[in-house]
């Protein structure tokens, strides 16, 4: 792929050079012929635009079906190119890969917006259920829609690529040296020094101020694009992707939160009390909010790393620590991923393709900047599935490996579906599959079955196990 891109760039440069030289001394006839060619090319482009926007497809059931088929063909063709460029940038962040990604993302966004607007022509047409769902997905499947005006998609793509790259390559000074986010994350999990935790927490947040203006502009552009598609804003568009109206989805999340809220409040109160016992009133008062940097996580979103601090004073001891088990059994990053693969194979699914092992980024490479945030990729909508992680040998990443492979196995299971049906049923469905498997992979029974844990603890360790789960999943 690298060679193809470089060759294309070189050919383009040569072509432009020849065109410039030829124009300098062309005859009047040659100039007229060139003008006719340009006019013809413009007519072709206009006709192509009319066809792809839906004007070539009448507002009938047959027209809608033909429009959807054409849209899927175009999206499938461009999505692979986009995915391969996005992968290249995520695993090797340079000026050039950022340039390439922003260009392809702009092109893909423009296509999505064009097709979303074209799909609206069939809103009142009676069509089969599968066609209706595809038309809806064309409208709802854009994460950040750009408005339909010149330059908007390019500006949005440049901003999102720049934001992601700035975040991924961010570093800050800690104890006299520059550290990365993944280094800071490990230190946050392990340190019990309040001053050190504060320095790590606030140090990472020195990376983001330069992103503020870009982020605000990104939201402004995306909201403008969402309004053009008929939504109040981008949030309303995202909430519309769950087979209910946006307001109904918001009401459902409020209902679910009210169910969990008493549990969360009790957990919050308990953890605050244990932190107060550990650090005292000056560091963590026994009332009010919890100091965010004391919770063992850079974003305070999972609290399981501080189990040793908040464990009950009686009956809270756990006979094992997953990170220590992994280290003592000689696990490395690849062995963790192969263990995750074996989980899925044990359920009757096929092993991962050899290309997965050849092309995935399982650990942070040396000598180049990458996006370490764990993600699962399907580059060709068929078999080229991969994960991208800066895997550490610890319990958190053992869970994450099983979670990310859930995405890959879901992608592979849907590879023979029409293009618009290859994704999850909604934005949360993929995550639910990953979490289901990830939670299963943390059970003592599973750890015993794969040889990590010699003996499954008795019911006396139910409370420690359940408290660990609550700290990560209810907090």
């Amino acid at each position: 792929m690298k060679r193809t891109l470089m060759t294309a760039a070189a050919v383009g440069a040569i072509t432009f050079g020849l065109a410039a030289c030829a124009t300098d001394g062309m005859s009047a006839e040659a100039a007229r012929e060139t003008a006719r060619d340009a006019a013809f090319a413009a007519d072709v482009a206009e006709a192509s635009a009319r066809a792809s926007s839906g004007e070539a497809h009448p507002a009938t059931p047959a027209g809608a079906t033909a429009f959807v088929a054409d849209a899927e063909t175009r999206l499938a063709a461009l999505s692979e190119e986009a995915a391969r460029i996005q992968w290249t940038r995520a695993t090797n962040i340079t000026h050039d890969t950022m340039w390439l990604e922003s260009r392809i993302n702009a092109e893909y966004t423009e296509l999505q917006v064009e097709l979303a607007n074209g799909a609206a022509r069939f809103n009142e047409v009676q069509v089969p259920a599968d066609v209706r769902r595809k038309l809806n997905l064309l409208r709802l499947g854009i994460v950040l829609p750009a408005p339909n005006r010149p330059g908007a998609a390019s500006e949005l793509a440049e901003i999102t690529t720049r934001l992601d790259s700035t975040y991924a390559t961010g570093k800050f000074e800690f104890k006299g040296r520059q550290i990365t986010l993944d280094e800071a994350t490990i230190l946050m999990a392990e340190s019990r020094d309040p001053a050190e935790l504060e320095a790590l927490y606030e140090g990472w947040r020195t990376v983001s101020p330069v992103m503020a203006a870009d982020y605000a502009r990104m939201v402004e552009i995306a909201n403008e694009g969402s309004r053009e598609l008929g939504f109040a804003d981008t949030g309303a568009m995202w909430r519309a992707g769950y087979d209910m109206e946006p307001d109904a989805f918001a009401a459902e999340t409020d209902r679910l939160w009210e169910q969990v809220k008493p549990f969360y409040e009790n957990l919050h109160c308990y953890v605050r009390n244990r932190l107060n016992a550990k650090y005292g009133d000056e560091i963590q008062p026994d009332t009010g909010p919890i100091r965010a940097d004391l919770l063992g996580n850079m974003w305070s979103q999972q609290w399981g790393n501080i189990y040793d601090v908040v464990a009950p004073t009686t009956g809270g001891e756990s006979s094992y620590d997953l990170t220590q088990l992994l280290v003592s059994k000689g696990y490395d990053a690849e062995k963790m991923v192969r263990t995750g693969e074996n989980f899925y194979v044990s359920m009757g699914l096929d092993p991962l393709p050899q290309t997965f092992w050849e092309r995935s980024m399982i650990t942070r490479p040396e000598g180049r900047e990458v996006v370490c945030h764990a993600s699962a990729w399907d580059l060709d909508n068929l078999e080229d599935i991969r994960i991208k992680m800066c895997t550490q040998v610890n319990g958190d990443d053992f869970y994450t490996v099983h979670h990310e492979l859930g995405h890959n196995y879901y992608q592979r299971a849907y590879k023979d579906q029409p293009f618009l049906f290859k994704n999850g049923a909604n934005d949360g469905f993929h995550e639910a599959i990953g979490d289901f498997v990830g939670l299963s992979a943390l059970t003592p029974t599973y750890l015993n079955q794969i040889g990590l844990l010699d003996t499954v603890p008795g019911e006396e360790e139910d409370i420690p196990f359940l408290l660990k789960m609550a700290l990560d999943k209810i907090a």
Side-chain angles (χ1 to χ4, degrees), residues 401-414:
V401 160
H402 287 76
H403 175 102
E404 296 303 332
L405 290 181
H407 293 302
N408 283 148
Y409 273 95
Y410 192 112
Q411 290 159 344
R412 183 191 246 185
Y414 277 63

Side-chain angles (χ1 to χ4, degrees), residues 320 322 395 398-399 437-447 465 469 472:
Y320 70 93
L322 179 52
F398 187 77
Y399 167 89
V437 176
L439 289 171
S440 299
L442 297 181
T443 61
T445 300
Y446 174 67
L447 299 179
F465 179 77
M469 290 298 101
D472 279 340

Side-chain angles (χ1 to χ4, degrees), residues 227-272:
R227 286 191 292 270
E228 284 189 6
L229 294 176
F231 299 98
D233 53 33
T234 305
M237 187 185 77
W238 290 350
R239 292 190 297 275
Y242 292 83
D243 293 307
M244 61 183 82
E245 293 298 316
D247 289 346
F249 179 76
E252 177 65 7
T253 56
D254 288 342
R255 184 187 71 81
L256 294 171
W257 163 241
E258 289 300 321
Q259 291 182 354
V260 178
K261 184 179 178 181
F263 194 160
Y264 175 80
E265 290 179 336
N266 283 327
L267 182 66
H268 185 280
C269 183
Y270 170 79
V271 169
R272 182 180 59 202

Side-chain angles (χ1 to χ4, degrees), residues 22-138:
T23 304
D24 289 340
M26 70 169 56
S27 66
E29 180 59 33
R32 285 193 293 272
E33 186 173 341
T34 300
R36 285 195 298 270
D37 290 344
F40 176 75
D43 291 340
V44 170
E46 184 180 351
S48 176
R50 282 199 306 270
S52 58
S53 68
E55 292 181 29
H57 303 294
T60 64
T65 302
F67 171 79
V68 164
D70 178 61
E72 289 191 292
T73 299
R74 297 176 67 199
L75 287 168
L78 192 58
S79 71
E80 181 176 355
E81 180 182 359
R84 295 194 183 282
I85 292 174
Q86 289 160 356
W87 172 268
T88 302
R89 197 276 310 180
T91 58
N92 186 18
I93 301 173
T94 69
H95 171 81
D96 292 333
T97 58
M98 290 172 62
W99 187 93
L100 288 169
E101 183 183 77
S102 65
R103 295 310 185 271
I104 194 65
N105 284 354
E107 184 179 352
Y108 200 76
T109 298
E110 287 173 344
L111 175 59
Q112 287 182 302
V113 170
E114 171 195 314
L115 294 173
N117 287 318
R121 296 181 60 253
F122 305 99
N123 285 347
E124 305 303 322
V125 178
Q126 296 296 315
V127 296
D130 62 326
V131 175
R132 174 54 58 199
R133 188 161 189 84
K134 288 180 180 181
L135 289 167
N136 290 339
L137 289 172
L138 286 171

Side-chain angles (χ1 to χ4, degrees), residues 307 320 439 442-444 461-470:
Y307 180 80
Y320 70 93
L439 289 171
L442 297 181
T443 61
E461 291 198 28
D462 284 355
I463 293 299
F465 179 77
L466 293 172
L467 179 56
K468 289 178 183 178
M469 290 298 101

Side-chain angles (χ1 to χ4, degrees), residues 363-420:
T363 58
R364 175 189 276 273
E366 294 186 7
R368 67 179 192 262
E369 298 283 5
V370 300
V371 178
C372 269
H373 183 76
S375 54
W377 294 63
D378 179 6
L379 278 78
D380 65 352
N381 300 305
L382 292 170
E383 288 286 343
D384 193 354
I385 51 178
R386 314 176 189 181
I387 60 169
K388 176 188 60 60
M389 285 182 64
C390 297
T391 313
Q392 304 286 335
V393 181
N394 58 42
D396 284 346
D397 279 5
F398 187 77
Y399 167 89
T400 301
V401 160
H402 287 76
H403 175 102
E404 296 303 332
L405 290 181
H407 293 302
N408 283 148
Y409 273 95
Y410 192 112
Q411 290 159 344
R412 183 191 246 185
Y414 277 63
K415 68 183 177 66
D416 294 326
Q417 291 292 322
F419 179 81
L420 289 170

